[in-house]
Amino acid sequence: MALGELLTSGPAPPAQGRAPLWLRAHVGGLLFSLGCAIQRHCGKVLFVGLLAFGALALGLRGAAVETDLERLWVEVGSRVSQELRYTKEKLGEEAVYTSQTLIQTAQQASESILTPEALGLHLQAALAASKVQVSLYGKSWDLNKICYKAGVPVIENGMIERMIEKLFPCVILTPLDCFWEGAKLQGGSAYLPGRPDIQWTNLDPKQLLEELGPFASLEGFRELLDKAQVGQAYVGRPCLHPDDPHCPASAPNRQSRQVPDIAQELSGGCHGFSRKFMHWQEELLLGSPVRSPQGRLLSAEALQSTFLLMSPRQLYDHYRGDYETHDISWSEAQAGAVLQAWQRRFVELAQQSVPQNASQQIHAFSATTLDDLLRSFSDISAVRVAGGYLLMLAYACVTMLRWDCSKSQGAVGLAGVLLVALSVASGLGLCSLLGMTFNAATTQVLPFLALGIGVDDMFLLAHAFTEAPSGTPLQERTGECLQRMGTSVVLTSVNNLVAFFMAALVPIPALRAFSLQAAVVVSCNFTAVLLIFPAILSLDLHRRHRQRLDVLCCFSSPCSSRVIQLQPQELGEVQMPRSGAHLTATVQAFARCDTAGQHVVTILPPTTHLAPLPTEPLGSQLFGPMGSTRDLLGQVAGTGRGQVCRPLPCARWNLSRFARCQYAPLLLQPRAKGLVLVLFGALLGLSLYGATWVQDGLTLTDMVPRGTKEYDFLTAQIKYFSLYEVALVTQGGFDYARSQRALLDLHSRFSGLKSVLAPQPPRSWLHRYSAWLQGIQAAFDQDWAAGRITRHSCRNGSEDGALAYRLLIQTGDTKEPLDYSQLDKRKLVDADGLILPELFYAGLTVWVSRDPLGLAASQANFYPPPPEWLHDKYDSTGESLHIPAAQPLEFAQFPFLLSGLRQTEDFVEAIEGARAVCAEAARAGIRAYPSGSPFLFWEQYLGLRRCFLLAVCVLLACTFVVCTLLLLSPWTAGLIVLVLAMMTVELFGIMGFLGIKLSAIPVVILVASVGIGVEFTAHVALVLLCGADRSDRPGSAPRARSASCAALHPGPPTPGVSARWKQSSDPP
């Protein structure tokens, strides 16, 4: 019967059903033609496909792995990225310094660590770390050469300047600075004739200036030390171990030999060599302090020391042109290599300095340690990837092997997994060629995710290929396979692509790159499975046609027995033995409508018209009929023509039989349906409840393997020292000189935030600048009153008085730059502490040049930087009196410390408070924004849930559109979307019960799971729309069955269609 007769033999389907049937038939026809074309040219398709995919895989040679946290986690296009870009435009790419940290904790929780023994162990670890030396490029690099030194003064006396350069201490924030032992961490030394080597352990600055006074003019340097309150530096502090023979005689407890009160000495923090500009707050040194009701420090559970190193740019600039690097090609890359090598050695020696049986633990960490950790996670583990793919190879081979050699597909499974592996490599290579950078998610997750998605479609096509309808011509087998399963593969692949593209809506660079790379890899998987894998199936078809063994295709199959064909009239003549007889009987049924056109009936032709079976082995043995066509392979006993291929009894059971005969009938019972709906309704309700438990957050400990030293350090840091250095950045676009009150109000409001640890008195650059001007104004007033400074001369005045003199006569007018009449008519700073606006930028030049320690302590980071200016009070020429004004500021910052930030809610509250302060300042004309790691990495949580909801909604809408277009059944598409929405809610609720926090990583996984969930729903929905499978449903209309099946299978009508209709009459 022809297809047209079949379609017109009964009433036409309803009008609303014609379009879906026509579309599915049209798509099936296109896939059928594609499959037939691939089968005809299977060798060429396989060769060209493998060549193209192999060429793309070569792109992996140029893959770039990104480990910079800012580039990985800062939201693209957000205000944070714009602010970060502005900061880098003004200050450059590098930070001012890098931190290396030591944290000491007790082995037992709640044990106090404020004991001389614990401080001695901390000194041992810190001293071992400070003595680290590395040899690179033929040079030896120690801490004193690469550490960050804040505010090194410029001294006109060459001898003193060289001595200061060698002696100037590194910035080390440590509790040891409360004691003389803090000087042991400073490695600088200098030599003077007639004296032992000068080091901080024996340096008394006051005594040294007295000894050098007769030989050099050190008035300016003396004044600088007095302003910085250096005093006796370290030799005037108590010794932690007064019995130390090197403990100086000037130490307060040297004579008494009494061990100092550790808690009392550490209370309120410690100071560096400058008591005014180097104050280390207690929160930076002590973890979990315990105080008495009167506020006295009693105990603490952790100690922390932080070593600051120069950035690679600073180290390069510092030694550029220096005699120590003149013989090597000194570059910034080499400077970075020196710093990284030193930091790795720092961590290693610090952890090895403590005995294994010590009662205290030392945790060391550096910026390079974190980079190495991220880089190690980003490297592809060849062993892990190879192991995963080998397991999949074994699984595919074992599950696709059959006892019946003609239906075994072990080699197809092996080739399919290898093809998917090649498509994954080619997809990643294509991403590399497109300029996408890789990260830990790409290298550790994507290869396995893509493997699972790719082999799913491969298994579908392979299974459909073995279940081809009887009578399908050999040259149309691949086309028939794609016709039946190609639509399902297209539907799921397109939805996966849409899912990953929608996941790219999450504006986190690392996860956006992962989503886009996953979309590219899925598209490569789809191309390979739809074009190249059918070619592999076609080649395997030739193997089966030639009756070769699976996998070992060079050997013939032992199951190639001949089939006895009996004509109907011979049935009565042949005497079949009771055992060992194997009869092949073929019954061909034709289906046509009855006279009323209401039912489809099955008609068996007369036995005299039964056609004999084809004689070729391929039709009689390999591709046995389905449904009503049953073959008993074998032959009459005693003929001796071949061996019988009998499968084991256990091989007769399979999932298909279980699903058809047990699971489906049980599920279709009314009670089972009701029970399933109740159970899933309860699960949905529990998931909605669990969704309320989901918290936001992702800490570094979630990204570090447990049990490692890095994990222990991060855990201790979060527990004891939850401090973050941040800054309030003010931009250009307004007049700093006339906005001082607004700037001070901005600083005051920011200091009042709950999480801000604000020192008292305030120490911003504006406060220090104003205080310094008030100091030189007071010196000028004294010199003016004493007559040491007159209207026309400042030679006899003090250094500070002369500076104020030169500032007061500035007018800012290029024609008349000096006005001596203003000396006694105005002040540098008014009664409210505001600097005279017309002298603001000239005074800034003087302050930056004359107070380097105060400038370094303020961490102002001015841009444009004020010009350098040298002062000589004895030079009274007009050019010398003129002070160049600094350019209007475009960048400045107020440093702050945030404390108590442990939960994501704490970070969000701090960010919202800081943003509110900046918004209020904007209304006053001040352009400002907060800067620091909390604002870089935690601001994403302000809109993460909104972004997640948007991505899921858009994805579900796109899934509905795609399913509606391919299935032309809005009702079915709606059911698919409903199930996917339920899956998403249930996954989100399970996160709450399991305590998994919501961050950008789970968001991408949840969004991707929606697309992957289409794999489980679209296949079932598509099969239900097929008439052949509708016929398995009780109560299905035969008319719908015939029309749908005919539309979906427009190939050879009689064998295929009749077999399917007859199959419907078989009992399940």
Side-chain angles (χ1 to χ4, degrees), residues 530-725:
L530 198 63
L531 297 180
I532 302 179
F533 188 67
I536 296 176
L537 292 175
S538 302
L539 290 177
D540 187 66
L541 183 64
H542 290 285
R543 190 268 308 170
R544 297 165 64 184
H545 177 61
R546 296 176 182 177
Q547 300 181 0
R548 299 287 184 177
L549 280 176
D550 189 17
V551 183
L552 304 175
C553 56
C554 296
F555 301 94
S556 299
S557 170
C559 299
S560 56
S561 60
R562 234 174 42 167
V563 179
I564 298 178
Q565 301 177 23
L566 300 177
Q567 298 295 335
Q569 62 271 18
E570 298 174 347
L571 294 176
E573 301 174 2
V574 179
Q575 299 296 326
M576 303 299 297
R578 294 183 181 181
S579 62
H582 298 271
L583 174 65
T584 298
T586 302
V587 180
Q588 191 168 12
F590 295 87
R592 60 179 60 183
C593 296
D594 59 4
T595 55
Q598 299 296 325
H599 301 87
V600 177
V601 296
T602 302
I603 301 174
L604 297 177
T607 57
T608 57
H609 296 287
L610 286 177
L613 288 173
T615 57
E616 69 271 16
L618 183 66
S620 62
Q621 177 185 351
L622 296 182
F623 309 113
M626 299 173 57
S628 61
T629 302
R630 299 177 177 88
D631 292 343
L632 300 175
L633 301 179
Q635 57 189 17
V636 179
T639 58
R641 294 177 294 174
Q643 300 297 325
V644 180
C645 183
R646 298 181 180 180
L648 295 176
C650 61
R652 298 175 182 174
W653 187 93
N654 54 56
L655 284 176
S656 299
R657 182 185 296 273
F658 170 76
R660 183 174 63 252
C661 300
Q662 282 87 29
Y663 178 72
L666 176 64
L667 193 62
L668 292 176
Q669 294 179 5
R671 292 183 179 179
K673 293 179 182 179
L675 180 61
V676 169
L677 292 177
V678 170
L679 290 178
F680 274 85
L683 178 60
L684 182 62
L686 285 175
S687 301
L688 290 173
Y689 175 69
T692 61
W693 289 13
V694 177
Q695 298 179 350
D696 297 342
L698 177 67
T699 61
L700 283 176
T701 54
D702 298 328
M703 304 171 62
V704 178
R706 294 178 181 268
T708 60
K709 295 179 180 179
E710 293 80 7
Y711 180 86
D712 295 338
F713 172 86
L714 293 173
T715 303
Q717 187 183 49
I718 293 174
K719 180 179 180 180
Y720 298 114
F721 299 99
S722 185
L723 295 173
Y724 297 87
E725 293 183 357

Side-chain angles (χ1 to χ4, degrees), residues 88 100 311 337 349 507 582 764 780 823 843 910 1010 1034:
K88 290 183 176 181
Q100 283 58 238
S311 66
L349 289 184
H582 298 271
S764 72
F780 171 82
L823 284 171
V1010 178

Side-chain angles (χ1 to χ4, degrees), residues 984-1005:
T984 306
V985 173
E986 290 165 359
L987 287 173
F988 195 77
I990 291 174
M991 287 177 55
F993 288 118
L994 296 180
I996 301 175
K997 295 183 179 181
L998 183 67
S999 64
I1001 296 176
V1003 164
V1004 169
I1005 295 175

Side-chain angles (χ1 to χ4, degrees), residues 45 89 333 404 529 584 698 708 839 1045:
V45 172
E89 288 177 358
D404 186 353
V529 170
T584 298
L698 177 67
T708 60
L839 296 179
C1045 188

Side-chain angles (χ1 to χ4, degrees), residues 259-575:
V259 177
D261 186 344
I262 305 297
Q264 181 179 354
E265 295 294 336
L266 293 177
S267 181
C270 300
H271 296 85
F273 81 97
S274 169
R275 303 189 67 86
K276 180 178 181 180
F277 298 121
M278 295 183 176
H279 176 236
W280 321 137
Q281 294 172 262
E282 182 181 303
E283 291 80 3
L284 294 172
L285 309 177
L286 304 180
S288 299
V290 178
R291 297 185 179 276
S292 66
Q294 293 77 24
R296 181 174 177 268
L297 179 64
L298 299 178
S299 65
E301 297 182 20
L303 299 173
Q304 178 175 258
S305 291
T306 305
F307 296 73
L308 302 186
L309 303 183
M310 286 187 282
S311 66
R313 165 61 66 177
Q314 285 180 322
L315 185 61
Y316 167 70
D317 291 338
H318 183 74
Y319 286 101
R320 183 174 53 182
D322 191 86
Y323 73 95
E324 292 196 21
T325 57
H326 74 280
D327 55 341
I328 60 176
S329 300
W330 184 243
S331 64
E332 187 173 348
Q334 290 177 325
V338 169
L339 291 171
Q340 291 177 359
W342 193 93
Q343 291 173 28
R344 294 188 183 100
R345 189 64 177 161
F346 166 87
V347 174
E348 181 181 350
L349 289 184
Q351 293 173 344
Q352 294 176 355
S353 63
V354 180
Q356 295 291 336
N357 58 351
S359 60
Q360 311 287 327
Q361 291 179 322
I362 294 293
H363 310 285
F365 199 75
S366 69
T368 299
T369 304
L370 181 59
D371 293 339
D372 292 342
L373 190 64
L374 293 176
R375 192 173 292 107
S376 65
F377 286 160
S378 301
D379 291 338
I380 297 179
S381 175
V383 175
R384 190 181 298 115
V385 174
Y389 277 72
L390 286 176
L391 287 176
M392 183 56 71
L393 281 171
Y395 172 80
C397 183
V398 171
T399 55
M400 298 181 72
L401 281 173
R402 296 290 184 270
W403 291 98
D404 186 353
C405 304
S406 64
K407 294 186 177 181
S408 181
Q409 290 183 304
V412 171
L414 292 175
V417 174
L418 292 176
L419 177 63
V420 171
L422 178 61
S423 69
V424 172
S426 63
L428 294 177
L430 179 59
C431 293
S432 177
L433 294 175
L434 293 176
M436 299 183 188
T437 57
F438 294 172
N439 53 66
T442 303
T443 56
Q444 302 295 333
V445 178
L446 188 53
F448 303 100
L449 178 63
L451 174 64
I453 295 175
V455 297
D456 177 70
D457 293 334
M458 182 269 291
F459 282 132
L460 284 176
L461 290 181
H463 178 73
F465 197 78
T466 60
E467 300 295 334
S470 62
T472 303
L474 178 65
Q475 64 274 14
E476 297 179 357
R477 294 299 297 273
T478 306
E480 197 277 338
C481 175
L482 287 185
Q483 179 186 14
R484 288 197 297 149
M485 297 306 301
T487 305
S488 181
V489 172
V490 171
L491 180 61
T492 55
S493 298
V494 170
N495 276 280
N496 283 330
L497 282 174
V498 173
F500 285 115
F501 279 123
M502 290 302 104
L505 290 176
V506 179
I508 308 301
L511 303 178
R512 174 169 290 180
F514 170 78
S515 303
L516 295 177
Q517 289 162 356
V520 173
V521 172
V522 167
S523 64
C524 289
N525 274 347
F526 172 60
T527 304
V529 170
L530 198 63
L531 297 180
I532 302 179
F533 188 67
I536 296 176
L537 292 175
S538 302
L539 290 177
D540 187 66
L541 183 64
H542 290 285
R543 190 268 308 170
R544 297 165 64 184
H545 177 61
R546 296 176 182 177
Q547 300 181 0
R548 299 287 184 177
L549 280 176
D550 189 17
V551 183
L552 304 175
C553 56
C554 296
F555 301 94
S556 299
S557 170
C559 299
S560 56
S561 60
R562 234 174 42 167
V563 179
I564 298 178
Q565 301 177 23
L566 300 177
Q567 298 295 335
Q569 62 271 18
E570 298 174 347
L571 294 176
E573 301 174 2
V574 179
Q575 299 296 326

